[in-house]
Amino acid sequence: MLDVKLLRIVTGEEVIAELVAETENTVTIKNGLVVLPSGQNIGFGAWTPVIDADKTEITMSKIHVVYIAEVDSGIKAKYNEIYGSKLVTPEEKKLIL
């Protein structure tokens, strides 16, 4: 499973991305999606649509990151459908007796 995180950037953008590496001063991510709120729903858009598709890792200074947080499991599953293994784990069914 991918290490998917939510990053709030000082510009106000919320980016969902795979955390590749983290040091004391930098954070490296790849396959970033910007969160696009729309009323009661949210959508996603490419965060850096013009970077080289073969070199998707971006390293940024932590000075530009407000926070890094865990992502909701439903959002993480959607991210995994887009960038991960393409395998979707079915919801657990419970037997009611």
Side-chain angles (χ1 to χ4, degrees):
M1 189 84 149
L2 304 175
D3 188 15
V4 180
K5 301 289 185 184
L6 172 70
L7 292 89
R8 175 75 177 222
I9 311 300
V10 294
T11 58
E13 296 169 299
E14 288 190 325
V15 178
I16 297 173
E18 181 181 351
L19 182 64
V20 176
E22 186 175 3
T23 69
E24 185 177 326
N25 299 315
T26 65
V27 61
T28 301
I29 61 172
K30 70 178 185 178
N31 299 326
L33 294 174
V34 66
V35 178
L36 303 169
S38 174
Q40 296 294 327
N41 299 314
I42 60 169
F44 304 106
W47 181 49
T48 51
V50 295
I51 65 170
D52 185 341
D54 295 327
K55 299 177 183 171
T56 59
E57 290 187 6
I58 296 173
T59 300
M60 69 177 95
S61 172
K62 282 190 173 177
I63 293 170
H64 303 295
V65 179
V66 177
Y67 60 78
I68 299 173
E70 293 297 321
V71 178
D72 174 77
S73 60
I75 300 296
K76 192 178 284 190
K78 188 66 175 171
Y79 183 92
N80 193 45
E81 284 180 38
I82 297 168
Y83 286 118
S85 65
K86 310 293 188 230
L87 295 176
V88 179
T89 306
E91 239 181 77
E92 182 180 337
K93 304 284 184 189
K94 297 188 179 189
L95 183 60
I96 300 173
L97 300 174

